[in-house]
Amino acid sequence: QQQVKQSPQSLIVQKGGISIINCAYENTAFDYFPWYQQFPGKGPALLIAIRPDVSEKKEGRFTISFNKSAKQFSLHIMDSQPGDSATYFCAASLSGGYQKVTFGIGTKLQVIP
Amino acid sequence: DAGVTQSPTHLIKTRGQQVTLRCSPKSGHDTVSWYQQALGQGPQFIFQYYEEEERQRGNFPDRFSGHQFPNYSSELNVNALLLGDSALYLCASGVSETQYFGPGTRLLVL
């Protein structure tokens, strides 16, 4: 049962372009939505996170857009750089304590010069 | 701050064997979660330990077991290894919803 669906699974973007990754969730009880960035040979690192009471959150070049009614959220990477090349995971969990994280399948992003 | 550390980094076992993986949480964290990440997939939750007890468990068989020590470090044990157990095993410690992951242990079962 894939509770968090992520697309696309791979993405190639030119340097300076916008990278967009989309996710959808099924469990309406989820109320914390983090994005993780993973480089080869490393564990996932928290990039940015949002709660459903906010429709958008921006941190530097990274922006999360959240649509609660559609149960969808997305990550936008502005001015994409070769150093952004990594695998990105959207995820979801319950809040209010120590909760397991449910991950999407991941998007492998390649930013070409 | 050393962050979350895991050992060993790589491990090769044969089918039917048993394996133990180790994790030390980030300083100040008292909860440890374990995840399995198959190649090309997102991490899948195995279980979580808090106060030396298993608090939550994902959809994994009883061959997967764990332990948490008084210093909050943790072990993941897998018995009767199958080829399908080959994966990156990630440990995470956290404060509330925010999880910090270690670099993982790459397990190959032959």
Side-chain angles (χ1 to χ4, degrees):
Chain A
Q1 181 185 6
Q2 191 178 0
Q3 293 196 46
V4 179
K5 297 181 180 179
Q6 181 172 351
S7 64
Q9 292 189 35
S10 65
L11 183 61
I12 299 175
V13 173
Q14 284 207 313
K15 179 182 175 181
I18 303 174
S19 303
I20 302 174
I21 303 170
N22 299 301
C23 286
Y25 63 98
E26 298 173 359
N27 186 352
T28 55
F30 286 145
D31 57 4
Y32 179 72
F33 301 88
W35 285 85
Y36 285 86
Q37 179 189 55
Q38 186 176 31
F39 293 103
K42 304 289 186 181
L46 180 65
L47 192 62
I48 185 173
I50 196 168
R51 299 186 190 277
D53 55 345
V54 176
S55 61
E56 186 176 283
K57 183 175 182 179
K58 182 177 181 179
E59 289 185 2
R61 296 184 295 109
F62 301 90
T63 300
I64 303 177
S65 298
F66 191 89
N67 186 329
K68 186 175 181 178
S69 61
K71 295 188 290 184
Q72 296 175 346
F73 57 112
S74 61
L75 176 69
H76 291 61
I77 305 175
M78 312 300 288
D79 187 27
S80 298
Q81 299 296 313
D84 296 331
S85 297
T87 299
Y88 292 81
F89 294 95
C90 62
S93 73
L94 305 179
S95 64
Y98 303 94
Q99 301 290 347
K100 68 177 184 179
V101 181
T102 300
F103 285 82
I105 196 169
T107 297
K108 187 172 184 178
L109 171 66
Q110 184 181 2
V111 181
I112 55 177
Chain B
D1 185 358
V4 179
T5 60
Q6 294 186 243
S7 64
T9 56
H10 295 83
L11 206 52
I12 299 175
K13 292 287 188 178
T14 56
R15 281 177 297 175
Q17 285 189 311
Q18 178 263 345
V19 69
T20 297
L21 311 181
R22 295 175 177 83
C23 170
S24 291
K26 189 175 170 66
S27 177
H29 293 178
D30 56 7
T31 300
V32 171
S33 299
W34 287 91
Y35 291 78
Q36 181 195 65
Q37 186 177 17
L39 200 60
Q41 301 293 318
Q44 298 290 317
F45 176 78
I46 302 174
F47 44 52
Q48 181 184 81
Y49 277 83
Y50 173 65
E51 292 186 339
E52 302 180 46
E53 289 189 11
E54 183 182 295
R55 297 289 179 169
Q56 296 188 69
R57 189 177 184 94
N59 189 26
F60 280 81
D62 292 344
R63 298 187 297 110
F64 290 77
S65 64
H67 187 77
Q68 186 178 35
F69 299 93
N71 67 353
Y72 309 126
S73 66
S74 177
E75 289 182 348
L76 164 65
N77 301 292
V78 187
N79 294 322
L81 284 167
L82 303 174
L83 295 179
D85 294 332
S86 296
L88 179 68
Y89 287 85
L90 295 163
C91 171
S93 69
V95 177
S96 191
E97 308 97 344
T98 304
Q99 298 278 297
Y100 297 87
F101 284 83
T105 294
R106 175 74 63 186
L107 172 65
L108 178 60
V109 182
L110 301 177

